[in-house]
Amino acid sequence: MRIALAQLELSASVEENLNAVKVTIARAAQDNADLVVFPEATMKAFNSGRLDVVAESSSDRFVAEVSQAAHDAGISVVVGMFRPADEVERDGKTMHRVFNSLLLAWRDEDGPGVEFYDKLHLFDAFGFRESDTVAPGNAHVVCDVPLADGLSVALGLATCFDIRFPEQFIQLANLGAEVIALPASWNDGPGKVRQWQTLVSARALDSTCVIAAVDAARPGGAKAAGKDEGPTGAGHSMLVNADGGVIASAGYDPQLLVADVDIAEVERIRRSIPVLEIRD
């Protein structure tokens, strides 16, 4: 299986981000990738305006254009976006919350296949309260997606802060996942890149799944690195094997990283390190 990690620098403009997604889908397909994974919030960067307004006005078109691009290119796509959710009262104000969603789209016989995952664990940490503007999801998602050789792979979905909850990744593996796509807009700051890298490898070991972890590129690149800022992205996307070994990794800047994974290795690793079986 060939996986592309699309580490984009995200903007406030849905149009700019959508165009970048479509261009990158075409590039990944030219590189013969089976799957391309984009960051969390690819539709609109965090800290760049109201999410409810953009979810209401742009989510349907975003889904339609990305899924059609995936279908036309014959590639599976995972991309972060926002969809309308609910209304809640916060400090005397009515908040129109959104779902922090992942769109999974793939080529199907009757047109684009589409599935959504809504982030389960919201980022109420480091002084930030995602739950004020985002509603939590309520379901794990694993889907079979096609590969170029006519086979398929079981793909699980998780988002950013979910990475701090190993039980979610174990549950995805128990539901059949062999690969887990993990889009993020990971906060930069002291020690945050180290935490990200450690957690990605740890979740691969917990679940014995391949982890395709794609963070947004660091605005300002390496020169701005280490400042306590976010959630805007800190780069360092990683493709990690089911035994925790790093197959490929990026730095701070925008990059399309393409690498091959031997899915048969997942079963071999699970026989060698049967943590899922022993846990049961």
Side-chain angles (χ1 to χ4, degrees):
M1 180 183 187
R2 180 163 290 183
I3 299 176
L5 310 182
Q7 183 171 289
L8 303 184
E9 183 171 339
L10 306 178
S11 83
S13 168
V14 175
E15 200 67 36
E16 288 180 9
N17 294 328
L18 180 57
N19 288 338
V21 167
K22 290 190 286 188
V23 168
T24 305
I25 287 172
R27 285 182 59 196
Q30 288 174 354
D31 287 336
N32 297 314
D34 298 292
L35 170 70
V36 57
V37 184
F38 291 88
E40 176 190 25
T42 294
M43 181 178 174
K44 180 179 176 63
F46 285 119
N47 295 343
S48 68
R50 288 181 56 171
L51 301 179
D52 59 333
V53 174
V54 75
E56 184 68 33
S57 65
S58 302
S59 59
D60 288 346
R61 184 170 70 90
F62 189 88
V63 170
E65 294 197 22
V66 171
S67 59
Q68 190 62 53
H71 179 75
D72 292 345
I75 189 172
S76 298
V77 174
V78 176
V79 59
M81 62 169 299
F82 303 103
R83 301 185 296 145
D86 61 11
E87 293 184 3
V88 296
E89 294 294 323
R90 291 286 189 271
D91 300 323
K93 297 180 181 179
T94 300
M95 306 291 290
H96 299 271
R97 296 199 299 182
V98 301
F99 288 120
N100 184 346
S101 298
L102 299 181
L103 164 64
L104 167 61
W106 65 95
R107 187 175 193 169
D108 208 351
E109 291 182 0
D110 300 322
V114 172
E115 184 60 84
F116 296 99
Y117 163 71
D118 300 322
K119 186 177 181 181
L120 290 174
H121 300 98
L122 301 183
F123 184 61
D124 289 1
F126 295 96
F128 189 86
R129 286 191 54 83
E130 187 177 16
S131 62
D132 285 345
T133 56
V134 176
N138 60 13
H140 300 286
V141 174
V142 177
C143 287
D144 287 332
V145 297
L147 302 178
D149 56 10
L151 302 176
S152 64
V153 66
L155 179 67
L157 301 177
T159 304
C160 201
F161 197 55
D162 286 336
I163 198 175
R164 294 188 181 273
F165 300 88
E167 62 273 14
Q168 178 171 347
F169 291 75
I170 294 164
Q171 179 63 12
L172 290 172
N174 286 334
L175 290 171
E178 300 162 286
V179 177
I180 297 174
L182 178 70
S185 286
W186 191 258
N187 277 32
D188 199 2
K192 292 302 297 296
V193 169
R194 175 186 55 79
Q195 290 178 30
W196 164 256
Q197 294 169 326
T198 300
L199 288 166
V200 173
S201 289
R203 296 299 82 84
L205 286 164
D206 291 334
S207 62
T208 50
C209 287
V210 173
I211 308 291
V214 182
D215 190 22
R218 177 62 165 95
K223 292 181 180 179
K227 297 179 181 177
D228 190 4
E229 181 180 351
T232 54
H236 292 82
S237 299
M238 301 170 66
L239 184 62
V240 178
N241 207 2
D243 61 0
V246 177
I247 298 168
S249 61
Y252 287 102
D253 297 313
Q255 185 176 354
L256 180 64
L257 191 65
V258 182
D260 292 319
V261 172
D262 184 355
I263 296 300
E265 278 286 283
V266 173
E267 182 58 33
R268 184 195 66 77
I269 290 165
R270 287 178 176 178
R271 289 196 302 269
S272 177
I273 317 172
V275 291
L276 297 174
E277 180 182 339
I278 292 169
R279 181 175 283 104
D280 293 340

